[in-house]
Amino acid sequence: MQKLVKNCISGLKGEITVPADKSISHRAIILSSLAKGKSVIKNFSDGQDPHSTLKIFKALGIDIEENGSEVTVKSDSELYKSETPLDCGNSGTTMRLLSGVLAGQNFNSILTGDESLSKRPMKRIIEPLTLMGAKIESTDGKAPLLIHSAKLNPISYKSKLASAQVKSCILLAGLGIDGVTSVTEPCLSRNHTELMLKSMGANIKTDGTTVYIEKSELSPVNIEICADISSAAYFIVAALIIPNSKIILKNVGLNLTRTGIIDVIKQMGGNIEILDEREICGETVGDILVGYSENLKGCEISGEIIPRLIDEIPVISVLATQTQGQTVIKDAQDLRNKESDRISAMVTELKKLGADIEETPNGMIINGKTKLSGGVEVETYHDHRLAMSLYVAGMVCEREILINEFEWVNISFPTFEKLVESVIS
Ligand code: S3P
């Protein structure tokens, strides 16, 4: 589907709630399926990725019922062999977390993915799981994965990557085996798995960047999932760069492992404020007030902040085209392993729009402030975050742009355009 995006002159105004957090939605399905009893998940994400996880746990024998955005999971904490391959679709989180769950089961499983997922690196989870005793066949470290039944043993794993998917995979494998399993990461990645496991009664402890887990029985959860800061990011950036904008984003997840974008905006001098910060189901939540900011300044984004804003870098690169001076993004080489090579893809597409942007091996350098000219067609690379970031860029282009294959937005945010239209005054 092609999407025409026009310059937005009137500004964004109003109060909106973006869809539920994708990361937390995956974990809610996985952990409630592993718990004994009935869990109720309210405000489950409507994105395709969390639905890939949901369908897989149904195929693994869990009784899951959907009623609008409310999902009820009834489980006796046992999984059963699926006679058909488990399709993870476009979702790296599904494939990597699920591998940790399935590696120690007494049945074999096959995990498949779409074209993009089948190109993404799985060695990062195959390696630690193999050290634990797992038997996994792959095609040179890529999907499809054939996970053979195996008896696992605990390990202390030092990960080279700050990756919540790798960390969570190992923790989920460790949850089912005797002894202490630990994972240490170079700096902290998102910790939703740890928080949810703890709230469900798991024997889990965090010390700095190391997490320890022991075999645990999980109690069911009743959880209401907060809005996804990664989806809010498109509206935050749009409001910052479109004159006359002022919006409130309600009930957004503000877990410190996810709020790197807010720190960057504050450093750039952006007009952003958190209102009514509170805790819901173990996660920090608040409302975000954000408005047009004329004098944003470029900055360096590198080091420990990278995992705290990894999914927001495409839209931050759009923001950087509208800030004064230089923005340098470093240490983000893993962006090349996402749904697309997000460094090369964003640089190529923003250049087409007229941005002064350059690719580096581990990031990009953007010089602003540039009047984006637009008047061209851009590509999404089958990547939802590219689709939405380019949409935001289109809103400040002088001439309209045409985004090809915009339907990839459905991976995380099917109602994106409807919500944009609701805040255009
Ligand atoms: C996610 C972790 C991150 C992130 C992805 C979701 C998760 O990936 O980019 O969109 O839910 O655990 P990595 O762990 O590969 O950095």
Side-chain angles (χ1 to χ4, degrees), residues 171-190:
L171 293 176
L172 290 167
L175 180 68
I177 53 179
D178 290 323
V180 181
T181 296
S182 71
V183 199
T184 304
E185 42 184 359
C187 55
L188 203 58
S189 65
R190 64 191 68 189

Side-chain angles (χ1 to χ4, degrees), residues 63-349:
D63 176 358
I64 305 180
E65 238 176 73
E66 283 179 87
N67 188 359
S69 67
E70 186 170 307
V71 178
T72 305
V73 180
K74 290 182 200 145
S75 172
D76 58 7
S77 76
E78 290 264 322
L79 302 177
Y80 302 90
K81 183 180 164 74
S82 164
E83 292 310 327
T84 50
L86 301 166
D87 181 7
C88 302
N90 188 248
S91 174
T93 307
T94 306
M95 185 166 281
R96 295 190 178 125
L97 269 57
L98 206 68
S99 299
V101 173
L102 295 173
Q105 301 290 334
N106 57 8
F107 55 81
N108 299 349
S109 305
I110 299 172
L111 298 185
T112 59
D114 71 3
E115 203 186 315
S116 145
L117 185 55
S118 305
K119 288 187 195 140
R120 295 179 64 186
M122 292 298 147
K123 269 193 187 132
R124 56 183 64 194
I125 52 121
I126 296 174
E127 184 189 283
L129 289 174
T130 304
L131 288 172
M132 294 176 91
K135 295 188 179 66
I136 302 177
E137 280 179 62
S138 68
T139 312
D140 196 22
K142 310 249 162 77
L145 304 181
L146 172 52
I147 304 181
H148 294 277
S149 162
K151 188 170 168 351
L152 304 187
N153 43 268
I155 48 164
S156 294
Y157 190 69
K158 248 189 151 83
S159 175
K160 285 190 236 76
L161 294 166
S163 158
Q165 293 177 352
V166 171
K167 173 174 65 176
S168 303
C169 167
I170 298 166
L171 293 176
L172 290 167
L175 180 68
I177 53 179
D178 290 323
V180 181
T181 296
S182 71
V183 199
T184 304
E185 42 184 359
C187 55
L188 203 58
S189 65
R190 64 191 68 189
N191 64 359
H192 304 299
T193 306
E194 296 93 298
L195 294 181
M196 202 179 289
L197 276 168
K198 199 167 181 68
S199 77
M200 295 172 76
N203 298 320
I204 184 165
K205 201 177 73 191
T206 300
D207 182 8
T209 56
T210 302
V211 193
Y212 303 87
I213 191 157
E214 286 182 67
K215 187 175 180 129
S216 314
E217 282 194 0
L218 301 182
S219 329
V221 272
N222 285 318
I223 180 174
E224 176 149 11
I225 300 176
C226 54
D228 196 327
I229 188 164
S230 298
S231 299
Y234 305 101
F235 290 86
I236 293 174
V237 170
L240 286 167
I241 64 178
I242 300 172
N244 301 314
S245 297
K246 191 170 187 176
I247 56 170
I248 293 182
L249 293 140
K250 299 288 287 177
N251 225 22
V252 182
L254 295 172
N255 179 317
L256 273 181
T257 61
R258 299 284 299 280
T259 49
I261 185 170
I262 294 177
D263 296 351
V264 164
I265 291 167
K266 284 187 175 156
Q267 200 184 335
M268 288 176 157
N271 198 345
I272 191 162
E273 221 181 300
I274 307 296
L275 312 172
D276 193 15
E277 199 167 302
R278 53 210 186 264
E279 197 167 303
I280 298 178
C281 301
E283 292 278 355
T284 306
V285 169
D287 302 336
I288 299 177
L289 171 65
V290 56
Y292 176 58
S293 305
E294 203 176 351
N295 296 310
L296 293 167
K297 285 181 194 65
C299 66
E300 180 174 314
I301 305 169
S302 60
E304 295 198 352
I305 201 168
I306 296 295
R308 297 179 54 231
L309 46 67
I310 188 74
D311 292 340
E312 288 66 76
I313 292 177
V315 77
I316 289 174
S317 68
V318 175
L319 173 65
T321 68
Q322 303 305 303
T323 64
Q324 304 285 351
Q326 194 166 71
T327 295
V328 180
I329 301 174
K330 287 185 190 164
D331 306 322
Q333 54 280 2
D334 208 34
L335 269 191
R336 297 193 184 275
N337 298 316
K338 298 291 177 188
E339 287 84 329
S340 69
D341 174 344
R342 287 182 177 159
I343 295 179
S344 147
M346 271 321 285
V347 170
T348 306
E349 299 312 302

Side-chain angles (χ1 to χ4, degrees), residues 29 33 51-66 71-72 79-82 86:
I29 292 290
S33 296
H51 278 88
S52 294
T53 299
L54 186 152
K55 278 187 218 143
I56 285 178
F57 278 90
K58 275 188 175 172
L60 290 166
I62 306 296
D63 176 358
I64 305 180
E65 238 176 73
E66 283 179 87
V71 178
T72 305
L79 302 177
Y80 302 90
K81 183 180 164 74
S82 164
L86 301 166

